[in-house]
Amino acid sequence: VVIEAMACGRPVVVSAGGGARELFEEGVTGLGHPPGDAAALSHRLQSLVIDRDLRSRLAENGQRFAVSQFSREVLAAQLESCYRRCLEEKAL
């Protein structure tokens, strides 16, 4: 969901725990908050409501990141590479 929102050009606020933490760069492509910390989440959301420039910057950077890392073309190339390696290993 994080990458989908980024790809749609939406700023994201992410629980900075587990795998989700790897999907954004704090203050560049998204805002994080400690898992389970409702006050921190509220503060992050409030900062997006108040700061139009922050919203725009996160949205633009996030979209650029999502497209560069998770576009159909990128994922297809990664899958093709994986399949080729598997076939080469099987042939040995």
Side-chain angles (χ1 to χ4, degrees):
V1 172
V2 173
I3 295 300
E4 290 172 349
M6 287 177 171
C8 290
R10 300 290 184 242
V12 296
V13 177
V14 182
S15 177
R21 178 63 195 106
E22 299 173 12
L23 298 176
F24 74 101
E25 183 179 348
E26 180 62 41
V28 177
T29 59
L31 298 176
H33 67 89
D37 187 338
L41 170 60
S42 175
H43 177 73
R44 292 306 210 171
L45 291 171
Q46 188 175 34
S47 67
L48 285 180
V49 169
I50 294 169
D51 191 339
R52 178 186 311 237
D53 291 335
L54 176 63
R55 282 193 317 267
S56 294
R57 188 176 69 249
L58 293 176
E60 289 172 18
N61 291 340
Q63 187 173 44
R64 222 179 348 267
F65 169 76
V67 170
S68 73
Q69 299 298 310
F70 298 97
S71 70
R72 289 182 183 144
E73 294 79 15
V74 169
L75 293 176
Q78 291 172 347
L79 267 174
E80 180 182 7
S81 174
C82 180
Y83 287 144
R84 287 187 188 283
R85 283 193 312 272
C86 289
L87 289 171
E88 288 169 4
E89 288 176 12
K90 187 174 181 175
L92 296 175

